[in-house]
Amino acid sequence: MVHHATSLFGKNLACALCTLVFCAAVGCAKKPPVSVAPAPPIATAHAASTSPACEPDHNTLYDQGVCAYDEGKLRYAMALWREACTVETDRTVRLRSQFALGAVRLAQAANDTEYAAALDLLDAWAKASPPGGSGEDLRFLLPALHTLRPASALKEQKAALDKECAKKLADREAQVRKSLQQQVRALETIHQQIQEKKKGLSNF
C-alpha cells in the first residue's frame, strides 16, 4: 500500500514538473521582443557662408560686392559698388559702396593717376558721410595700409636718393670737366702748330 502511494506521488510530481517546463517554454516563446529605439538621424552640418553678405536676405549691390570681394573677385566687386553709387536709393548703401570702392581702388592703384582718383573718391565720401560714418567696413583699407611706409622710412629713402643723385651729379661734372680740358689742350695744340707754320713762312 505504501509502495503504491509512493509510486503515484512520483508520477504526479513528474507530471507537475513537465507542466511547469512546458508553461515556461510557452511563456518564453510568447515574450514580446525588446523594442530598440531608432537611431537619431545624423545631423547635417549647415555650411556657413563665407560672409553674411552672401546670405539670401542680403541683396543690395553693396552686399553683392562684399560677397564678390570675399571670393577674391575684386574687379566684379568694384563694378557692383560703382553701380551702387549711382542706382541705389538708400543713401547709406551708396556711401558704403563709395567708401569700399575708393579703399579697394587705393590698394590696387598702379600709378599716381589711379592713386589720385582713389583719393578723390574717398574725399567725396568723407564730405557726404555723416559724423561717425554710415557703418563702413574699414577692412577694405587694410591692404592699402600695408603698402604705406612710416615718415622715418620715407626720410631715409629721400636721404639715400639725394646722396645717390649728388654722386651722379659729381661724376657727371667730372666727366664734363675732363672733356673740356681735353678740348682745350687740343685747341692749344692746333694753335701752336699754326704759329709754327707762320714762323716757317716768315723765314722765306
Side-chain angles (χ1 to χ4, degrees):
M1 183 69 179
V2 175
H3 176 72
H4 178 70
T6 304
S7 176
L8 183 60
F9 177 76
K11 290 180 180 180
N12 291 336
L13 180 61
C15 288
L17 289 174
C18 288
T19 301
L20 289 174
V21 171
F22 176 76
C23 291
V26 173
C28 291
K30 292 183 178 181
K31 187 176 180 180
V34 179
S35 61
V36 179
I42 300 174
T44 303
H46 176 68
S49 300
T50 56
S51 168
C54 298
E55 296 177 0
D57 57 342
H58 291 76
N59 55 6
T60 67
L61 289 171
Y62 169 75
D63 291 315
Q64 293 176 32
V66 173
C67 185
Y69 178 86
D70 290 338
E71 293 176 354
K73 303 174 183 177
L74 299 186
R75 290 185 178 274
Y76 182 52
M78 288 190 289
L80 290 169
W81 290 329
R82 191 179 300 110
E83 183 180 359
C85 290
T86 56
V87 303
E88 282 287 353
T89 57
D90 190 334
R91 179 170 178 266
T92 298
V93 175
R94 291 199 307 272
L95 287 173
R96 289 179 181 177
S97 300
Q98 189 175 22
F99 175 82
L101 179 62
V104 174
R105 287 186 62 177
L106 187 69
Q108 297 294 314
N111 51 54
D112 292 341
T113 302
E114 294 179 358
Y115 191 83
L119 288 179
D120 288 342
L121 272 174
L122 292 176
D123 287 340
W125 161 81
K127 292 177 181 178
S129 181
S134 302
E136 284 74 11
D137 195 340
L138 297 181
R139 68 193 176 109
F140 295 128
L141 275 178
L142 288 179
L145 293 177
H146 284 303
T147 62
L148 295 179
R149 303 186 65 182
S152 58
L154 292 176
K155 289 181 179 179
E156 292 177 359
Q157 184 179 13
K158 183 178 182 301
L161 290 174
D162 290 343
K163 184 178 181 180
E164 183 179 359
C165 289
K167 183 178 182 302
K168 289 182 178 180
L169 182 60
D171 292 342
R172 181 61 179 167
E173 288 177 351
Q175 291 176 358
V176 171
R177 189 180 301 110
K178 183 178 180 180
S179 176
L180 289 175
Q181 289 173 351
Q182 291 175 348
Q183 292 176 11
V184 169
R185 284 196 295 268
L187 290 173
E188 289 176 348
T189 301
I190 294 173
H191 179 70
Q192 184 177 359
Q193 292 175 349
I194 292 174
Q195 293 299 323
E196 290 177 355
K197 287 181 179 181
K198 285 182 177 181
K199 289 180 181 180
L201 292 174
S202 62
N203 292 330
F204 290 103

